[in-house]
Amino acid sequence: MRTKLVLKPGSRGTRKLLAEYGKRLVCVRYRYDWRLGRRWKTVELIIHEASWKPKPSSLVYVRIQNLEWTKQEKMLESGARWDKRRLIWRMRYENACRLGLADNIIEF
């Protein structure tokens, strides 16, 4: 089974589901099975929400502008590493917060 299309809430093809599920709707996926000749429309819903913080020792990804040399130097001093594959900085969560980069953390 392959996912060929992922739609965000509010886009064409999701409006009825958005009316049904409201803010709980995360996305709509169309999955295909070429052997069986079948297509499935699936939804991802939020069913529970709770506050959460990463463990201080967990690794996070941080995006900063290329020209922010002082931030880059501070990140390198705190042990951050450049991830060539993702083109983004990887560092410990506690260090990102200590350097004031919590707003620059991105998800993968």
Side-chain angles (χ1 to χ4, degrees):
M1 193 169 16
R2 275 185 127 166
T3 301
K4 293 289 275 183
L5 184 61
V6 179
L7 301 173
K8 293 182 180 180
S11 61
R12 204 168 149 203
T14 67
R15 292 191 179 115
K16 287 181 184 177
L17 294 167
L18 186 59
E20 184 177 346
Y21 296 112
K23 291 184 178 185
R24 296 181 329 154
L25 182 66
V26 176
C27 69
V28 177
R29 290 187 185 94
Y30 287 89
R31 297 176 180 262
Y32 296 86
D33 189 327
W34 301 102
R35 286 182 298 127
L36 299 176
R38 305 286 298 169
R39 179 185 77 179
W40 294 275
K41 184 187 222 179
T42 64
V43 297
E44 183 176 337
L45 297 174
I46 297 172
I47 59 169
H48 178 71
E49 183 177 343
S51 60
W52 172 83
K53 279 189 174 183
K55 293 179 183 177
S57 62
S58 63
L59 293 176
V60 293
Y61 294 94
V62 178
R63 174 169 286 142
I64 61 169
Q65 299 296 323
N66 289 339
L67 299 176
E68 296 182 276
W69 301 109
T70 55
K71 285 184 182 178
Q72 287 182 11
E73 289 173 3
K74 289 179 182 178
M75 290 170 63
L76 283 170
E77 290 171 5
S78 69
R81 296 289 174 248
W82 179 250
D83 189 330
K84 292 178 186 177
R85 195 181 90 217
R86 292 187 172 119
L87 301 177
I88 203 152
W89 290 93
R90 186 179 68 229
M91 64 189 310
R92 290 181 179 260
Y93 175 72
E94 62 188 358
N95 293 339
C97 291
R98 186 173 45 77
L99 294 173
L101 298 172
D103 293 338
N104 296 61
I105 295 174
I106 62 167
E107 294 181 34
F108 277 105

